[in-house]
Every structure is written in C-alpha cells, then in structure tokens.
Amino acid sequence: MDFYKKWLNIAIVFILSFSLLSPAALAETQQIEASDLETIELESSSTINDQSNGEEVSISQKNTNIADEEVVIDRSSLQTAIDKAKQAKSSFKVSADGNDIDPVDYWVTQAAIDVYTNVILSAQQLLADEHAIQEDIDAKVLALNQATEELDSAKKDGTKSNAELTTSQAYNTVAQYMVDKLSEPKFGYEWWIITLARGGYEVPAGYYDTYYKNVVDYVVSKDGVLDQRKYTEYSRLIIALTAIGQDPTNVGGYNLVEKLSDFDKVVWQGVNGAYFGLIALNTWDFELSETATTTREKLIERILEKQLDDGGWALSGTKADPDMTAMAIQSLAPYYKTDSKVKDAVDKALTTLADLQLPNGGYKSWGSENSESAAQVVTALTSLGIDADKDPRFDKVIANIMTYYSTKEGGFKHVLSETQANGMATEQVGYTLAAYHRLLNGQTALYDMSDTKSKDPSNPGDGGNPSNPGDGGNPSNPGDGGNNNNSGNGEDNPGGNRPNGHTTFSITISSSEVPLKETKVELYPGETVFDVLKRVTKQNGIALSYRETQYGTYIDGINGLYEFDRGPLSGWMYRVNGSFPSYSAALYTLSPGDNVEWLYTLDLGKDVGGYVDGIEGGGSSAGGNKECKEKDCKEVETKCPNKDEKCAEETNKDNKDGSIAEITIENGSNKAIITSEDIQKHLEKNIKNFVIQSEKNFKIEIPTSIFSGIKLTEKEQVKASVTKDAKNKQFTVTFEIENANGKSKSISIDKEYLKVTLPANELKSNTVVLQLVGGEYKPVPHKIVNGEIVLFTKTSGTFVLKESTVTYKDIEHLVYKEEIEFLASRHVIQGTTSETFEANISITRAQFAALVSRALGLQATGENPFDDTKGKWYATEIQALYEAGITKGSTASTFNPEKPITRQQAAALMARILEYLNADVKAGGEINFKDANNISSEYLPYIKLLNSLDIMTGMQDGSFDPTSSITRGQTAKILKRTLNISGIM
C-alpha cells in the first residue's frame, strides 16, 4: 500500500467518525473554530475495506495529526550524510598498490573511489528531486552510510619507502617518542634510559637525576634484592646506571655489581644470563671479590659451550635464532681480538647471521619477520666495529629496518602489518641507531661505558645502546623489571557499558591443575584480554600478579604460580582462537566469540603448542598432498591389489636433505601399503623416515631403521593404518606384515617408535590416551597439544581416549603434586592406597624400573634373565626395561629388586632414557655441589647432564646427596621432567 493510500484511508475513517456524532455533539462541533480543527482525537478502532485491492485495513490510533497543508519531507538527514561522505572521500588517497603513499596516509583503489562517487552523485540527485518521498530519502541515507563503511573497510596503510629518512632523523624522533611517553623516568625503563643516554639525545633538565632518585628509592624499598631468580635485573640496571655516569656499586648503600658474584644464579636463566652478566661487568671493567664464583672466563666459556652446531645460539633448541646469536656476539665482542676461541666462534656466528638473512635484508624470529631481529644484528656488527651499510654481507639490513618506521608516532613497528609504532620495537631499534651512530662518530661501543666515568650524570650521553633483556615474552628480552607487582582489581562492568557479546575464558597450569575451566564470560566493547583476565580472576577468587612495562602489561603470576617457578623456561602465555599473539595481553582487543586460554609453559611454549618455528628450527611437516593421477595409479597397481585401497603417491616435497619419504593417501582411505621394493629402495638411499600422510585425518611416521631386520617374500607387504571409532572414543593403529591371503603377522619394534598424529578437537583438559591390552588399560607415551594427539607406540593396538583426574589427599601441599597427578592420570604411577601416595618414602629398584618401563610404553618380548624377579608383579616390566638396554641388573642373573635405588643411580637411569629416546641434549658446565667429591665417577657425567637440564638440581642445602635413597615424590618429579624434555609426554 503506497503513501497516498494510507492518507486516503485515514481520511475516510475521519469522515465516518464525524458523521456518527449525535446532533448535540454535531452542533457543538460546528462551533469549533477553524483554528482548532488542526487535531482531532480518534479513540475508536475502525476497520474499512480498501476497494482497490480488497485489503482489510485496521486502524487503531490514539493521536492522529491531520493537517490541511502538504506533507513535509525531511531532507536534512540526507544532506548531512552527503556532507560526511564527501569528507570521508577526501581523507583517502588513490593508489594502485600503496607504494606511492606515505605510511601515515590511507589509500584505496580508483575503482573503489568511483563506486563511492556514484553513490554520492545519486544521493545529490535525489536531494534535488522535489517529488522525492520520505521513504526514498531514508533508504538513500542508509545506502550512503553503508557505502562509507565499505570504503573505510577497504582502506590500507601506505607503504612508501622511508629510505629518504636518515637514521639520524629516525633516532631523534625515537628519542622524542620516549621522552614524551616517559616524563617521569623510573626503574623498569632501563633500556629507554640507555637509548637516550648513549645516543646523546638532549633530555629535559634533571631527567637523569629524576631517574636515579627513583631507582635509589626502588632499590632501598626492595632491600637491595631486585629479584630472587632473574639476575638480568641487576645486569640491566648496572648497564643503565653506568650509561648515565652513576656508580652501581653504591645505590642507596647497596652494591649491585656484587650481586653478580654467584655464577649459578647469574646463569640460572640460561645463556642470556651469561650474556648480560658479562656485558654488565665490562661496562666499567668491574672486578668481583676473590670469593666470587663468577669470573669473566667462566661466563665466556658458558657462552661458547652453548654455541650450536650451525654456528649460532638459541634460547632453546638446536637451530640458531638471529636475536640470540647477535646478543652472543655483543657480549663476546671485547674479546674478539685477544681470544682465538672467541674469534673463531664469532666468525662462525657472522656466517650464520649472513645465511639467516632474508633476501630483503630482514630477519625472522619467533615465527615472523620483525624489526627487532634485524636491529640486534646491526647492534652486534657495531660491537665489532663493522658498518653494516659497507659490508656486502649485511648492506641491506639497515634499509630493511627503516621500512618499519611509523611516521605517525616517530617510532618503529614490530611487524609491517601493524598500524602504529610498537614500544619494544621502538626501543630496540632506537638503541641500535644509537650504537650505529657511535660507530660512525668514532665513539666507544654501545656497552663500553669508559667514556661516562667522569661525566656529569645530568648530561651523560654521546651515542649508543644494548640488546634488550626486557620482557614481553620475546627471548631477546629476558626480564624487563617493570614496575611493582599488583593484584588484579578488574571491573565487573567496565565503564558502565552494556556487554556486546561473550568470550570463553580458561586458565590452565597442567592437565590436573585448572584454576578456571572454560567459562563463558560477558564481553564489553573495547575490552582487551588483560581486561577480562582481571575481571574473571577477581570474580573467581584467583590471585593475579602483573606489572606495567614500556611494552604493555606483563603477567607475572596467576593462582600463586609465577614465571620461572618451574624452571628457567617456564611462565604464562595466552592463546586466542588457537593462536599465540606476540604482544601484551593489554594490547589485544577481543571480539565477541573469541576463545581465550591462559596456559603455563615449562619450556617457552613447546609443551602447549606455542613453540614458534625458528626458535628450535621446528620444521614443517613434509608436504606433498597431491592427488593420485591415473598414470601414477597404474605404476603402483600391484601395491594396491584390493579395490577398496587407495593409490599412494610418494613425494619428497620440502625434504631438502632427502631424509624423508612421504606417502600421501587420498581422503577417505585409512591405510597405506609399503612393498619390499619400497623398503629396499629407501634403505639404499639412507631415507630415515617414512611419513604416511592422510590429509585432515592422520599421520604416521615410521623410522626406516625398523625395516632393516624385516625380510618380505614376494607376496608380502607392510600395511600401516589408523581406524577411528568416534562413538567409543578410540582408534586402532595397525602396523603389520600382510600376505596375499589377507593373513597378517606383527612387526617387532626395538628401540624406535611409530609416531601417530591425529586431530583432537574439543577434548577436555584431563583427557589422556591409554592402550587397551587384554582388557586392561596400559600407559602409552603421548601428548595432546595444539589440537592434536601425538602418540608414540611400539606395537599395533587399540588406544582409548579417557578423561582421567587422579589425586591423593597427602600431596595437596607438596612441590611434586603436579608431577604425581600427571603420571597417575596416565596410569604410570600409583598410590600406596586409593587416597594416599606417601611421597616421602623411598622407592625400590623394582618400583623405579616399573615406572620407567610403563612411561616408555615398553613391552617384554623375550626371556626374563633375572631369577629374583620371576613370578613377581614387576617381572615383565623389568624385563622390558632390560631388553631396551636401559638397565643391566646388579648381575647377569639378578636385579636386586627390593633394594632402594640411590639418587645417583636414578640419575643414571634418567640419562639412559634420554639416550634411548635420542633426545638432543648435552651437559653444560661443571657442577658445584658441596659434596661433589662423594659422587662416584661412573655417575658423574649423568649428574652433570641432569643438573644442566634442570632435572636433578640437588638438595636445598647445596648438596646432591648421591648415595641416599630417592623418594617416590622425587622420582615423579625427575621422571616427568625427563619425559617432557624428551618430547614424548
């Protein structure tokens, strides 16, 4: 029904209503003056027929205004929308690719502008149309607003090169950025102070005096103890104080340099502790007391022994990381010309950095190309007196760094996709620019503070700066310092806003420690991950400790568990929708429907799926999921005699060293066939692994060495498959020899494992995998990380997913609680009763061997060699451990099962587990136990290894106590750590 019909119907109702009035009322009505006829109140509800289309029109109105004058059309909203659209259009620049647009500006394509212009012209034409009706005008306003939103979503940042911006100009804008943001300098902002001081920036009067006063107040308030574990806190502050000409040996009466006297504490955080300890000592050439266990020689030796085979360094793993490699060079630089070992190591590292460089001159670390990694490389080069711009190996690096410059704030981005400057990136590039200009000006190196000893602290700088042991979760930033720890307050209703949706939130320490199970939480507009964390921890009575840094808010502890509490690589990480952001939780703005997980990691995220490719080198799985072509299927037809089997294609994509043969099977198939020809061919080529890949279904990795003892007849072939039974939450792995008649026989696997990977979505945190053997559940090595089950098995079998949470009343307050629950839930360890564990009693050799055998998923196959174990509950488990070569018994025929096992014997067994599993580990440094002379020489190498891996670190009194019995609780602790490091649990 159109606009005019509506008014016609109303008029008819008015006439009918008027004609029904009583004569008296009519007479009264006739006396109403014309001016009072503007409004008639209709209180009746009338139904009339629209004769034009037979529609029944119901009218029920309390107040209907009927005027004699024409209907007034409101065009103001359309005019406003047009004005706004023109303004929006003028704010965008037009470009084909953005390369000609400054980063400070936005751009769109000409096609997008043309579409938008047409919408504006159409709106202007309607505005000028005197016959336009209100409905059309309102619709055009809506269309114009939608077009504006679409154009805004299509805008992009300009990518015009900043090459014309000099490094000197960039440093000055960075320094101004810092001064503007930090008007009241204080403890925790040491790298900003170093950037300003060593770059020679003219700070406001009294700026460094204010910083020093605040530092003294802070040190005094902490009684001189900056941190119980992170000794980079002392190193960082020493570097900053010497940069402004202040003596770190007397800060409010406390000698900070003396804190570096304990070598074990200095290097507790890892090799980065040695980096910055050595740098700090060399700033003013400090000497430690004769009783100090730290020496420059020991620090240098620790750094050199951590150099990887590829010539670089890493915080963890076996592949060089550019940041850690560059920082190693910075710390060793003062000895490059005087120590031949250092020179050889640094030269090798420079070659590695050149090899790691990307074609554009950039560097990739922690999964992404970023400005900080490139900056660390330039800082390293300046420490050796090398001008990157003049060295053909590195002459693209500085230009690459400048592409990250953000003209909006005068700082630098972390990655190019960011829309504004990043605090950490700005800081690290800033002190790199300071170091570079010190080199060009012929000044002392960044960390050589000999030029500041006699300077006025209110004006200390002339140019230069260090690599950053900051915070923010980046390995190049170990320990930022920040401000004081706080308890989360959290607002229940941020800003009085209404929620705009929900997010799911969880906090997990381990499979058995879940302070907050997945919970649906209201989300308010603009809230960050940190905002919600504060709110949910407050609402659920969970302790929260955090501190503010120049990089954003840093989470120290949740539920009373802090970073480094469970090892030098432990701490809190957060994951959103399955991905781990590389910046502060206070900077991540949530959207409705986001899933947030806070996870406690023991090894930089490796155990929770947040370990980034490039730290350890990781390595993507072999690719090559090509479909089988008809001509290829003919070639392998004899391998697939049954119609229900899928043709397999072998590929070596992404397998540069040829060590992997991948067999890709089509979707829908659950098995692959390997013939004797395949085996012989790959053994001759020294192929190390077969990888059977079923896209989105499963993957089986088979060490080729398994086949070395297998001889197949012409009619035999190896079948490998995975069959899922979702209804019963189980799956079956088959690895066997099959003949032409369909009969099969098992394959015996000695030292190696089949590695089976399956997708595992929406599993609860307490889910474990157990093997069903003879109607009983048996342990099997496995881990569930990043949405996948990774299983290690030596046999074909059926494996069941079970929710398992086991605890005991007497372990609630024990330090071994998490380890005991972890192993108990996997059926590796048991209590003395259903309610008690008795962690402090000694464990026997038989009990210890049984735990190890279960944890490794070993199964006996031969004859039991030990007379004193036959017929006992532990007989087959000890036998399996013997067959694996991990134990030899006390004699050839006895095991002495009931005798307690000593701590040094336990260390030997843990070391043999690492060897058995081919763990990539090696001992680092000497041990300093006060009873080291009591350790038997045969066990000493094992104890050195386990101590360096933080598996067995000795007793609280500084001893190792090698001959005393190990307890059940201690066993759980060292076994779990060994399995974690080995990567099978």
Side-chain angles (χ1 to χ4, degrees):
M1 184 181 296
D2 63 21
F3 178 81
Y4 296 105
K5 287 181 179 179
K6 291 180 182 178
W7 280 102
L8 177 61
N9 289 330
I10 293 171
I12 292 171
V13 172
F14 176 81
I15 295 169
L16 290 173
S17 301
F18 192 84
S19 65
L20 294 175
L21 291 173
S22 65
L26 184 60
E28 181 179 351
T29 303
Q30 291 173 343
Q31 297 176 9
I32 299 175
E33 300 201 10
S35 60
D36 296 324
L37 286 174
E38 292 181 2
T39 302
I40 302 292
E41 184 177 85
L42 300 179
E43 299 195 25
S44 63
S45 178
S46 302
T47 300
I48 65 173
N49 287 322
D50 180 354
Q51 298 300 323
S52 64
N53 58 14
E55 284 184 321
E56 189 171 71
V57 181
S58 177
I59 301 178
S60 178
Q61 293 181 281
K62 179 68 176 175
N63 290 296
T64 301
N65 295 329
I66 299 178
D68 293 334
E69 60 190 47
E70 293 184 4
V71 178
V72 177
I73 304 300
D74 182 9
R75 289 178 166 80
S76 62
S77 58
L78 182 57
Q79 182 63 62
T80 300
I82 292 173
D83 292 341
K84 288 183 178 180
K86 289 180 178 179
Q87 184 178 4
K89 178 182 174 182
S90 65
S91 68
F92 299 115
K93 295 183 181 298
V94 177
S95 175
D97 55 15
N99 290 336
D100 56 339
I101 306 298
D102 289 329
V104 72
D105 294 321
Y106 295 117
W107 67 275
V108 293
T109 62
Q110 185 62 54
I113 284 292
D114 290 345
V115 170
Y116 192 55
T117 300
N118 289 336
V119 176
I120 296 175
L121 291 174
S122 174
Q124 290 175 321
Q125 291 171 356
L126 182 63
L127 185 66
D129 184 357
E130 61 182 17
H131 300 297
I133 61 176
Q134 190 68 46
E135 288 178 337
D136 291 342
I137 288 177
D138 293 343
K140 186 62 68 176
V141 170
L142 180 61
L144 196 53
N145 290 338
Q146 289 176 340
T148 302
E149 291 177 2
E150 291 173 2
L151 185 68
D152 188 67
S153 64
K155 71 183 181 184
K156 297 179 181 179
D157 284 332
T159 56
K160 186 176 181 181
S161 172
N162 290 303
E164 66 273 14
L165 180 74
T166 68
T167 54
S168 178
Q169 290 171 328
Y171 170 78
N172 285 328
T173 62
V174 164
Q176 188 60 51
Y177 171 94
M178 291 179 171
V179 170
D180 289 344
K181 284 188 171 293
L182 189 63
S183 59
E184 180 75 12
K186 55 187 176 182
F187 177 81
Y189 288 78
E190 280 65 52
W191 295 117
W192 289 36
I193 294 297
I194 294 166
T195 299
L196 296 169
R198 298 304 279 167
Y201 188 75
E202 188 174 346
V203 297
Y207 193 80
Y208 296 124
D209 293 333
T210 299
Y211 167 73
Y212 183 68
K213 178 184 180 300
N214 288 335
V215 164
V216 170
D217 291 344
Y218 181 79
V219 171
V220 171
S221 72
K222 303 289 285 185
D223 294 328
V225 180
L226 301 183
D227 198 280
Q228 294 285 358
R229 292 181 173 180
K230 295 187 296 181
Y231 273 57
T232 51
E233 297 285 279
Y234 299 104
S235 299
R236 187 187 71 248
L237 187 51
I238 291 168
I239 298 169
L241 291 175
T242 54
I244 62 173
Q246 295 288 355
D247 185 1
T249 64
N250 184 7
V251 181
Y254 294 98
N255 187 339
L256 302 183
V257 176
E258 192 177 61
K259 297 291 186 178
L260 303 181
S261 296
D262 190 324
F263 179 78
D264 289 338
K265 292 180 178 179
V266 170
V267 301
W268 184 86
Q269 285 175 257
V271 69
N272 53 327
Y275 295 161
F276 291 104
L278 188 59
I279 289 171
L281 290 177
N282 286 333
T283 53
W284 277 2
D285 200 23
F286 293 107
E287 293 294 339
L288 298 173
S289 67
E290 293 182 359
T291 59
T293 57
T294 300
T295 65
R296 285 174 171 81
E297 292 72 24
K298 288 176 69 173
L299 292 172
I300 293 171
E301 186 61 32
R302 173 57 62 92
I303 296 169
L304 293 179
E305 70 186 18
K306 292 295 183 180
Q307 188 169 26
L308 302 172
D309 292 339
D310 63 6
W313 280 264
L315 196 60
S316 177
T318 59
K319 300 296 182 181
D321 173 74
D323 298 65
M324 297 299 289
T325 301
M327 288 190 291
I329 293 174
Q330 294 166 35
S331 65
L332 294 172
Y335 309 95
Y336 180 75
K337 295 181 179 180
T338 59
D339 188 321
S340 59
K341 289 183 179 180
V342 169
K343 186 178 187 304
D344 290 344
V346 170
D347 286 342
K348 190 176 180 181
L350 289 173
T351 300
T352 299
L353 287 178
D355 292 340
L356 289 174
Q357 189 177 176
L358 301 174
N360 64 355
Y363 284 86
K364 184 178 180 180
S365 180
W366 285 69
S368 62
E369 182 182 351
N370 62 89
S371 60
E372 297 98 307
S373 295
Q376 290 293 343
V377 172
V378 173
T379 304
L381 296 174
T382 64
S383 69
L384 296 171
I386 298 173
D387 183 346
D389 257 358
K390 295 182 180 179
D391 190 309
R393 298 171 297 178
F394 304 103
D395 56 5
K396 294 181 180 179
V397 182
I398 291 179
N400 174 270
I401 293 172
M402 296 305 293
T403 63
Y404 293 87
Y405 184 75
S406 174
T407 55
K408 295 178 185 178
E409 303 87 8
F412 282 80
K413 303 174 185 178
H414 166 61
V415 293
L416 288 174
S417 60
E418 289 182 335
T419 59
Q420 60 185 11
N422 173 284
M424 181 182 292
T426 299
E427 169 189 287
Q428 293 198 33
V429 175
Y431 66 63
T432 291
L433 295 175
Y436 184 60
H437 292 128
R438 292 188 71 83
L439 173 70
L440 298 183
N441 295 333
Q443 297 167 307
T444 60
L446 182 64
Y447 297 123
D448 179 358
M449 308 293 183
S450 58
D451 58 318
T452 68
K453 274 191 174 183
S454 60
K455 282 183 175 278
D456 179 352
S458 64
N459 184 24
D462 38 15
N465 184 309
S467 89
N468 186 355
D471 167 349
N474 186 314
S476 63
N477 300 331
D480 168 292
N483 299 325
N484 296 324
N485 292 345
N486 301 295
S487 298
N489 295 321
E491 296 296 334
D492 295 331
N493 185 3
N497 295 326
R498 287 191 170 191
N500 64 342
H502 292 84
T503 180
T504 53
F505 222 81
S506 63
I507 302 172
T508 303
I509 298 172
S510 69
S511 60
S512 59
E513 295 175 284
V514 185
L516 182 69
K517 294 182 179 180
E518 188 171 290
T519 303
K520 191 174 183 180
V521 180
E522 287 186 334
L523 182 67
Y524 294 85
E527 278 197 304
T528 65
V529 172
F530 176 62
D531 292 330
V532 180
L533 176 65
K534 285 197 298 181
R535 186 152 48 82
V536 299
T537 51
K538 178 185 177 184
Q539 292 171 349
N540 290 276
I542 299 171
L544 175 65
S545 179
Y546 62 92
R547 52 195 163 100
E548 300 300 331
T549 77
Q550 59 264 51
Y551 316 119
T553 305
Y554 183 72
I555 306 303
D556 280 318
I558 302 176
N559 201 45
L561 183 64
Y562 291 78
E563 61 172 343
F564 307 133
D565 274 0
R566 296 186 179 177
L569 304 182
S570 64
W572 287 98
M573 302 177 70
Y574 75 99
R575 180 166 61 194
V576 181
N577 301 328
S579 299
F580 290 86
S582 60
Y583 46 88
S584 168
L587 302 177
Y588 193 109
T589 302
L590 290 170
S591 299
D594 282 345
N595 176 260
V596 181
E597 303 165 88
W598 280 93
L599 306 167
Y600 193 80
T601 175
L602 301 178
D603 54 2
L604 285 178
K606 191 173 185 179
D607 53 343
V608 295
Y611 197 65
V612 183
D613 184 21
I615 301 305
E616 188 178 354
S620 59
S621 60
N625 292 323
K626 301 176 182 178
E627 287 189 11
C628 180
K629 308 299 182 183
E630 286 186 10
K631 61 180 181 180
D632 297 327
C633 288
K634 292 177 182 178
E635 294 174 2
V636 294
E637 191 171 327
T638 57
K639 304 178 188 178
C640 309
N642 299 321
K643 293 181 179 180
D644 62 327
E645 291 174 1
K646 300 296 181 180
C647 180
E649 177 181 333
E650 295 177 7
T651 68
N652 283 309
K653 184 180 177 182
D654 296 332
N655 181 29
K656 296 179 181 179
D657 62 0
S659 63
I660 295 174
E662 179 166 315
I663 302 174
T664 302
I665 59 179
E666 295 181 25
N667 285 338
S669 175
N670 71 331
K671 60 184 175 181
I673 299 298
I674 304 171
T675 67
S676 58
E677 291 84 359
D678 295 327
I679 294 172
Q680 186 61 33
K681 177 176 64 176
H682 295 311
L683 285 175
E684 290 175 354
K685 292 182 178 180
N686 292 320
I687 298 294
K688 295 179 181 179
N689 287 284
F690 281 94
V691 176
I692 299 169
Q693 179 76 55
S694 173
E695 186 177 6
K696 298 181 181 179
N697 195 7
F698 66 85
K699 179 169 68 174
I700 306 176
E701 298 172 57
I702 309 171
T704 311
S705 59
I706 291 175
F707 297 114
S708 60
I710 296 176
K711 293 184 179 180
L712 301 177
T713 66
E714 291 183 0
K715 296 183 179 180
E716 289 181 329
Q717 55 196 6
V718 174
K719 180 177 75 173
S721 69
V722 175
T723 304
K724 298 179 181 180
D725 181 357
K727 180 179 179 181
N728 295 310
K729 294 185 178 180
Q730 62 186 40
F731 58 93
T732 299
V733 176
T734 302
F735 182 61
E736 58 191 15
I737 297 173
E738 185 179 69
N739 62 26
N741 297 323
K743 294 184 178 181
S744 61
K745 57 183 178 181
S746 62
I747 296 175
S748 177
I749 301 175
D750 185 16
K751 185 178 179 181
E752 307 288 353
Y753 288 87
L754 294 182
K755 181 180 178 182
V756 182
T757 304
L758 303 96
N761 298 320
E762 299 181 358
L763 291 182
K764 292 185 178 180
S765 60
N766 65 336
T767 300
V768 299
V769 181
L770 299 170
Q771 186 170 5
L772 193 59
V773 181
E776 295 183 1
Y777 293 121
K778 299 288 186 180
V780 60
H782 71 279
K783 52 188 178 180
I784 302 176
V785 293
N786 206 24
E788 290 184 330
I789 297 171
V790 183
L791 177 82
F792 302 86
T793 179
K794 290 180 173 291
T795 65
S796 299
T798 298
F799 302 90
V800 181
L801 299 178
K802 287 186 66 66
E803 294 174 18
S804 177
T805 301
V806 181
T807 190
Y808 303 96
K809 291 182 178 180
D810 58 349
I811 68 171
E812 183 61 33
H813 302 293
L814 296 182
V815 293
Y816 320 120
K817 179 178 184 290
E818 190 271 335
E819 289 87 354
I820 293 169
E821 292 176 337
F822 178 89
L823 295 173
S825 67
R826 286 161 173 75
H827 290 214
V828 173
I829 202 168
Q830 298 173 355
T832 53
T833 72
S834 61
E835 295 185 345
T836 59
F837 185 78
E838 296 187 86
N840 294 323
I841 66 174
S842 299
I843 191 169
T844 67
R845 286 168 51 82
Q847 292 167 341
F848 194 96
L851 296 186
V852 173
S853 182
R854 291 177 203 153
L856 297 179
L858 304 178
Q859 295 187 19
T861 58
E863 294 292 329
N864 184 357
F866 303 121
D867 295 334
D868 56 355
T869 67
K870 292 178 179 178
K872 304 292 179 65
W873 65 267
Y874 43 72
T876 57
E877 289 165 323
I878 292 175
Q879 180 186 335
L881 201 64
Y882 169 78
E883 292 174 357
I886 296 175
T887 185
K888 297 180 180 179
S890 53
T891 70
S893 60
T894 61
F895 189 77
N896 207 356
E898 302 301 332
K899 184 179 180 179
I901 188 169
T902 67
R903 287 173 52 78
Q904 61 185 2
Q905 290 170 341
L909 280 173
M910 292 300 106
R912 289 174 192 154
I913 292 173
L914 293 170
E915 180 182 1
Y916 179 80
L917 296 173
N918 296 315
D920 185 15
V921 295
K922 60 181 179 180
E926 297 297 320
I927 57 174
N928 295 297
F929 301 118
K930 64 184 183 181
D931 58 350
N933 292 334
N934 296 334
I935 299 173
S936 299
S937 58
E938 63 181 300
Y939 297 113
L940 191 58
Y942 303 131
I943 293 172
K944 284 184 178 179
L945 174 64
L946 266 61
N947 180 63
S948 67
L949 295 175
D950 199 34
I951 295 175
M952 294 183 77
T953 55
M955 312 300 284
Q956 290 185 348
D957 63 357
S959 67
F960 187 80
D961 204 7
T963 59
S964 70
S965 300
I966 194 167
T967 68
R968 286 166 51 81
Q970 291 169 343
T971 299
K973 179 180 179 180
I974 67 171
L975 179 57
K976 180 179 182 292
R977 289 188 178 184
T978 301
L979 296 173
N980 285 158
I981 289 173
S982 302
I984 67 168
M985 273 197 185

